[in-house]
Amino acid sequence: MAPRFTVSYYVRAADEAEARARALDIALEQTVEIPRDVVPKGYVEDEILGKLEQLERDPNGRPGYLAAISYSEDDVGGDFLQLLNIVFGNSSIKPGLKVEDIGLSPGILALCPGPRHGIAGLRQRAGIGAQPLLMSAIKPVGLSSSELARRAHDFALGGMHYVKDDHGLVDQRTSPFAERLAACVDAVGEANARSGGRASFVPNITAPAKDLFERAMMAEAAGAGAVMISPALAGYDVIHTLASDPDFTLPIVSHPAFSGANVVSPDTGFSHRCFYGALQRLMGADAAIYPNFGGRFGFTREECQSIAAACADDMGGLKAIVPAPGGGMNLGRVPEMREAYGNNVMYLIGGALLQDTDIVSASRRIVEAVAG
Amino acid sequence: MAPRFTVSYYVRAADEAEARARALDIALEQTVEIPRDVVPKGYVEDEILGKLEQLERDPNGRPGYLAAISYSEDDVGGDFLQLLNIVFGNSSIKPGLKVEDIGLSPGILALCPGPRHGIAGLRQRAGIGAQPLLMSAIKPVGLSSSELARRAHDFALGGMHYVKDDHGLVDQRTSPFAERLAACVDAVGEANARSGGRASFVPNITAPAKDLFERAMMAEAAGAGAVMISPALAGYDVIHTLASDPDFTLPIVSHPAFSGANVVSPDTGFSHRCFYGALQRLMGADAAIYPNFGGRFGFTREECQSIAAACADDMGGLKAIVPAPGGGMNLGRVPEMREAYGNNVMYLIGGALLQDTDIVSASRRIVEAVAG
């Protein structure tokens, strides 16, 4: 028997019998996808078919149950996309089901070596100790590369550790990728030379699917300090592939664009901690951006803290990564953020700093507030 | 001014003022992603910023409004992933918003040449006229390549036009991809030789991101008749890239695995017609698999018909594609299906045929019922 890994699902159901029937359906749907009465005896039934291991009333008081279903490593066939397909391929289309958690096994850990750098690597690159990391974004789309580079320079001079592209900056004619990359790496380097800091520029990597890896390599060759990728758009194996590519060494920041439907509904998709925490670590992201509570998105404080916890919890030896809450961060919220997240966090702050006419000073104030 | 394309959003809101505020937020969030008061004057404000073009109470009686927002082609920068990011990147994370429809423009049509074959090409390959197409799936995972190939043979001999891999078949040790591909192409070819039919084998293309295209090319070289890809897993540009790759000529079948959260919630994600119809055509899929009504998934008849309509509606000259409802199809449902879909459909029928001990006869009965 191959080792088995486990997925825990919230199953909306009126009673235990209904929950059990729905859970057994998941076990079929995610593996053999044929009626139960024609599942071949022997190996397919005994190993390949998902097994309902546990069923209990939802401990969080939702109207349903938690079902733990185990799957054979043989189901996965060494394919990361197939791992996600087993976790929630077709069942994602059934209402009233939510992936709560993923329990690993040796083969899954071998398939998912996880982040190369993690939070420790991001801090080391920034030259800081056990304090929060800070990241800003240059924007908006429509500015020239030199205007964007000036913003990158000022953020870096103000003490931001990472300065990233807005995730809408691609290869627009106002600021083509290669031109912006070179200009921003230079601008951040110049700021570092003036300040003695170690800020990194983080370009947004997006492209036709065949060119994506080449663009990531361009970023490394040009002197970027990390790259940002939106896995829900680019594909869930892209970060996974880059994180273990021997020819690529940069940290990877994951962006949540296009992924929202996976979490915002109370009983479809994934739990916040599983999608923005566990899955990102399995992929190999070093930092996971998600919307902060109290900002313009609807995540609660508890949901955000659950993500932060999942970035650091024991996960079979995978490195801890850094939760990067963004949206709605400003100077006034520092005490509240510190209380919610402690030190193991990367604050993503962009728009609020751009409202100041002096980006350098605005950045310095936030850096001091966060470090102080 | 660059031409503008339009996205129509359902916006949950108590009154028009709230709806307008939320719609203006979308226009900011999807483009400049900075506070309104710091949007640079001139080009950025006048062109790059989304524009609220129309706001009306939801005609379908939902508690909210429909907002039509236009975006400049300059926002997209010739990047298909960025098109999707503009349509619903960060706004996907806000509850109470749903993409209803996408209105194209010349530049978007240039970026999205659409399907190469469409429904007409799939029929031509199958050697049939204006009748429904039929597709079955070999499964389950865990069988050997020779056992799976025997099923492929029998489906083809029974008259199925396309015989596809189950979407959970990847490169498992029980049936490695290359071995299964060769065995199934041979088996379907042998069945064609016996029957005089023109069935095609359709392998499931999934792999580490760097190997995906190579595997699609392998499929073509080995004599597959089409390929199947799950864009919500593999990435939304993969089909887009393959559909216009001069070195690749096969039709592409899109599978909905992992995409469910995008549609099952009433007020997040996308409308059914937009996600499984319009988006698939923009990508360049020739057939779009989705869960049929009345089966084990929760789609309604109207939602399924809206998908079918979106596969054929006028869309700036893009070829019509074929809606491929699956799940729950059997002999008894043929009249109901015919009434719902007419002729422009591909029935995906798998599990029900496997319940018969004689796959060939079971397939023939369904082929006759559908053609009759």
Side-chain angles (χ1 to χ4, degrees):
Chain A
M1 296 272 290
R4 301 180 76 82
F5 63 100
T6 309
V7 182
S8 167
Y9 301 89
Y10 165 70
V11 178
R12 193 175 60 205
D15 55 37
E16 190 174 330
E18 188 194 346
R20 183 172 303 274
R22 296 202 72 192
L24 292 172
D25 273 349
I26 297 174
L28 274 178
E29 186 78 50
Q30 296 308 103
T31 54
V32 293
E33 213 197 328
I34 49 176
R36 184 67 182 84
D37 58 353
V38 292
V39 175
K41 298 286 173 204
Y43 176 70
V44 177
E45 181 174 50
D46 299 341
E47 290 227 32
I48 291 297
L49 179 62
K51 277 192 179 59
L52 177 57
E53 303 283 357
Q54 207 185 335
L55 186 70
E56 54 169 352
R57 190 171 284 280
D58 180 61
N60 298 308
R62 288 173 294 186
Y65 289 73
L66 282 190
I69 297 177
S70 73
Y71 302 105
S72 169
E73 290 178 353
D74 283 0
D75 283 313
V76 175
D79 185 310
F80 185 72
L81 297 180
Q82 169 67 356
L83 171 63
L84 299 188
N85 183 44
I86 291 282
V87 169
F88 210 43
N90 274 7
S91 288
S92 75
I93 317 174
K94 293 185 179 174
L97 298 181
K98 202 173 179 85
V99 175
E100 292 292 315
D101 227 331
I102 301 176
L104 304 176
S105 67
I108 302 303
L109 282 164
L111 175 62
C112 303
R116 198 193 304 252
H117 303 272
I119 184 170
L122 286 169
R123 279 182 171 139
Q124 189 173 28
R125 189 170 285 259
I128 63 168
Q131 69 193 65
L133 287 150
L134 280 154
M135 175 183 258
S136 334
I138 55 168
K139 38 191 170 181
V141 174
L143 294 186
S144 67
S145 293
S146 62
E147 289 170 302
L148 290 165
R150 193 167 62 234
R151 293 183 175 204
H153 173 273
D154 290 355
F155 281 134
L157 192 61
M160 292 284 149
H161 307 118
Y162 291 88
V163 180
K164 75 173 190 66
D165 271 339
D166 179 66
H167 72 288
L169 286 166
V170 297
D171 198 35
Q172 287 96 350
R173 64 177 176 77
T174 41
S175 177
F177 175 76
E179 175 190 288
R180 182 175 71 253
L181 173 64
C184 289
V185 166
D186 279 356
V188 169
E190 195 183 307
N192 285 342
R194 281 178 63 185
S195 69
R198 292 172 58 178
S200 289
F201 179 64
V202 185
N204 179 37
I205 303 298
T206 171
K210 279 191 170 175
D211 306 330
L212 207 67
F213 293 103
E214 188 189 329
R215 205 171 279 192
M217 295 298 172
M218 274 175 67
E220 176 153 11
V227 295
M228 181 170 74
I229 293 172
S230 300
L233 284 167
Y236 287 98
D237 196 80
V238 170
I239 291 178
H240 177 250
T241 289
L242 269 181
S244 54
D245 185 336
D247 296 329
F248 185 79
T249 70
L250 296 182
I252 302 168
V253 176
S254 169
H255 192 283
F258 212 70
S259 72
N262 287 295
V263 299
V264 294
S265 162
D267 61 2
T268 61
F270 286 78
S271 70
H272 289 71
R273 70 175 179 281
C274 189
F275 196 86
Y276 293 119
L279 268 191
Q280 309 299 325
R281 267 168 102 186
L282 285 177
M283 275 184 238
D286 300 286
I289 297 177
Y290 62 90
N292 199 12
F293 67 95
R296 62 195 194 275
F297 297 89
F299 287 16
T300 66
R301 189 177 196 272
E302 291 64 36
E303 286 162 352
C304 290
Q305 286 182 303
S306 77
I307 296 168
C311 289
D313 280 352
D314 175 46
M315 236 176 120
L318 296 190
K319 282 181 182 155
I321 65 173
V322 59
M329 175 74 178
N330 59 42
L331 202 59
R333 294 195 69 203
V334 171
E336 184 190 4
M337 297 292 98
R338 193 198 311 271
E339 195 191 322
Y341 292 110
N343 278 330
N344 292 331
V345 65
M346 174 187 268
Y347 293 118
L348 177 55
I349 175 162
L353 300 179
L354 293 172
Q355 283 181 297
D356 203 297
T357 48
D358 181 349
I359 292 179
V360 181
S361 304
S363 299
R364 278 191 186 135
R365 282 195 298 275
I366 197 104
V367 169
E368 280 160 22
V370 166
Chain B
M1 295 274 289
R4 301 180 76 81
F5 63 100
T6 308
V7 182
S8 166
Y9 301 89
Y10 164 70
V11 179
R12 192 176 62 206
D15 55 38
E16 190 174 329
E18 188 194 345
R20 182 172 302 275
R22 295 203 72 191
L24 292 172
D25 273 348
I26 297 173
L28 274 179
E29 187 77 50
Q30 296 307 101
T31 54
V32 293
E33 214 199 323
I34 50 177
R36 185 65 181 87
D37 59 352
V38 293
V39 174
K41 298 286 173 204
Y43 175 71
V44 177
E45 181 174 52
D46 299 342
E47 290 227 33
I48 290 297
L49 180 62
K51 278 193 179 58
L52 177 58
E53 303 283 355
Q54 207 184 336
L55 187 71
E56 54 169 352
R57 190 171 284 279
D58 180 60
N60 298 309
R62 290 173 293 186
Y65 290 74
L66 283 190
I69 297 178
S70 74
Y71 302 105
S72 168
E73 291 178 352
D74 283 0
D75 282 312
V76 174
D79 185 311
F80 185 71
L81 297 179
Q82 168 67 355
L83 171 61
L84 298 189
N85 182 44
I86 291 282
V87 168
F88 210 42
N90 273 6
S91 287
S92 74
I93 316 174
K94 293 184 177 175
L97 298 181
K98 202 173 179 83
V99 175
E100 293 292 315
D101 228 331
I102 301 175
L104 304 176
S105 66
I108 302 303
L109 283 163
L111 175 62
C112 303
R116 198 193 306 251
H117 304 271
I119 184 170
L122 285 169
R123 280 183 171 137
Q124 190 174 26
R125 187 171 288 257
I128 63 167
Q131 69 193 66
L133 287 152
L134 281 154
M135 177 183 255
S136 331
I138 54 167
K139 39 192 170 182
V141 173
L143 293 187
S144 67
S145 293
S146 61
E147 289 169 302
L148 291 165
R150 192 166 62 235
R151 293 182 175 206
H153 173 274
D154 291 354
F155 282 133
L157 192 61
M160 292 284 148
H161 307 118
Y162 291 89
V163 181
K164 73 174 190 65
D165 271 339
D166 178 66
H167 73 287
L169 286 167
V170 298
D171 197 33
Q172 287 97 349
R173 64 177 177 76
T174 42
S175 178
F177 176 75
E179 175 189 287
R180 182 175 69 253
L181 172 65
C184 290
V185 166
D186 279 357
V188 168
E190 196 183 305
N192 285 341
R194 284 178 60 184
S195 69
R198 292 172 59 178
S200 289
F201 180 63
V202 186
N204 179 37
I205 303 296
T206 169
K210 278 190 169 174
D211 306 330
L212 207 67
F213 293 103
E214 188 190 329
R215 206 171 278 193
M217 294 299 172
M218 274 175 67
E220 177 154 10
V227 295
M228 180 170 74
I229 294 171
S230 301
L233 283 168
Y236 288 98
D237 196 79
V238 170
I239 292 179
H240 177 250
T241 288
L242 269 180
S244 54
D245 185 337
D247 295 329
F248 184 80
T249 70
L250 297 181
I252 302 167
V253 176
S254 169
H255 192 282
F258 212 70
S259 72
N262 287 295
V263 298
V264 293
S265 163
D267 61 2
T268 61
F270 286 77
S271 70
H272 289 71
R273 71 176 178 280
C274 189
F275 196 85
Y276 292 119
L279 268 190
Q280 309 298 327
R281 268 168 102 186
L282 285 176
M283 274 183 239
D286 300 286
I289 297 177
Y290 61 91
N292 199 12
F293 66 95
R296 61 193 194 277
F297 297 89
F299 288 17
T300 67
R301 189 178 195 272
E302 291 65 37
E303 286 163 351
C304 289
Q305 286 182 301
S306 77
I307 295 169
C311 288
D313 280 351
D314 175 46
M315 233 175 121
L318 296 190
K319 282 181 183 154
I321 66 174
V322 59
M329 175 74 176
N330 58 43
L331 203 59
R333 294 196 68 201
V334 170
E336 182 190 7
M337 297 292 97
R338 195 199 309 273
E339 194 190 322
Y341 292 111
N343 279 330
N344 292 330
V345 66
M346 174 186 269
Y347 293 119
L348 177 54
I349 176 163
L353 299 179
L354 293 173
Q355 284 181 298
D356 203 298
T357 48
D358 181 349
I359 292 178
V360 180
S361 305
S363 299
R364 278 191 187 134
R365 282 196 298 277
I366 196 103
V367 168
E368 280 160 22
V370 166

